[in-house]
Amino acid sequence: MMKNDIAIYPGSFDPITLGHLDIIHRASKLFTKLIVVVMVNPKKQCSFSPAERVELIKKCTDDLLNVEVEFSDGLLADYAKEKGACAIIKGLRALSDFEYEFQMALTNSKLNPDVETLFLTTRAENMYLSSSMVRQIASMGGDISGFVPDIIHKQIINRLKG
Ligand code: COA
């Protein structure tokens, strides 16, 4: 167990997938409190509103008593400071994620030296998964049941079908 026990799991979560949920389950076992924070990636145009994204994550994490879900439109480093977090959790997928994640981790530690970025390896079955792929499949009437949690499956389809 770490000295400080609050960790943050940031992302755009547009929408949350089974890959994200796996990381949340595993990280929630490592820390006393895990804050899942829906954030703004300025490079992305999101389909779900911040409130919808928070609601979807809350539905899937209702059973995890040490997990909180919030939205922030600020900087991740500042958010981590405000919450007194010791760690930022990221899921590492393919090798192609590495350069971008490395750059973000270094930038965040420069902005907030008190926080460490910790990478959890994504499970093999989620390696290829992404939120944009889920959105694309759902909007074209495809089956997304193997990609998103059951409890929000219908809500995502109803929202995205053309
Ligand atoms: N399993 C499956 N898929 C996963 C996954 C996992 N474990 N983890 C991530 N993914 C997918 C996501 O769904 C996402 O798919 P998409 O590109 O189709 O949307 C993709 O991998 C990238 O995810 P991630 O690397 O988490 O990026 P993001 O855009 O979701 O989140 C922020 C990036 C929001 C954390 C980042 O922009 C940020 O920190 N913003 C705040 C502002 C800030 O501080 N900026 C300076 C940063 S140095």
Side-chain angles (χ1 to χ4, degrees):
M1 184 59 70
M2 303 233 171
K3 235 158 89 191
N4 177 322
D5 56 3
I6 300 173
I8 287 174
Y9 180 39
S12 44
F13 302 110
D14 187 44
I16 183 173
T17 67
L18 286 175
H20 296 127
L21 191 59
D22 169 54
I23 300 286
I24 293 171
H25 273 271
R26 287 157 59 199
S28 72
K29 288 186 193 142
L30 298 173
F31 296 90
T32 308
K33 181 156 117 184
L34 179 71
I35 308 174
V36 182
V37 57
V38 173
M39 296 204 101
V40 178
N41 181 343
K43 290 189 189 137
K44 288 181 181 170
Q45 189 78 38
C46 284
S47 297
F48 291 86
S49 70
E52 283 176 311
R53 286 180 273 154
V54 166
E55 190 212 332
L56 288 170
I57 301 170
K58 278 188 174 164
K59 275 191 180 166
C60 309
T61 56
D62 213 27
D63 56 326
L64 300 172
L65 299 179
N66 65 336
V67 172
E68 290 177 10
V69 190
E70 290 189 359
F71 169 73
S72 166
D73 59 2
L75 278 175
L76 176 54
D78 290 345
Y79 183 83
K81 197 175 289 177
E82 181 194 314
K83 297 289 170 184
C86 64
I88 292 168
I89 305 296
K90 298 287 302 201
L92 204 55
R93 295 176 305 161
L95 206 59
S96 54
D97 278 353
F98 185 75
E99 205 174 328
Y100 171 67
E101 291 294 350
F102 200 72
Q103 188 186 14
M104 282 206 291
L106 288 175
T107 310
N108 284 323
S109 77
K110 183 90 180 165
L111 292 171
N112 178 355
D114 296 328
V115 73
E116 291 288 347
T117 300
L118 301 181
F119 294 102
L120 295 185
T121 45
T122 299
R123 288 162 98 97
E125 62 265 37
N126 300 323
M127 214 63 165
Y128 59 92
L129 209 53
S130 74
S131 298
S132 41
M133 207 171 75
V134 166
R135 290 199 307 274
Q136 196 180 100
I137 296 169
S139 66
M140 294 180 175
D143 181 9
I144 55 163
S145 56
F147 307 136
V148 299
D150 279 348
I151 193 162
I152 57 168
H153 177 214
K154 280 223 171 71
Q155 196 174 342
I156 293 176
I157 289 183
N158 288 338
R159 178 69 168 63
L160 291 177
K161 70 180 175 205

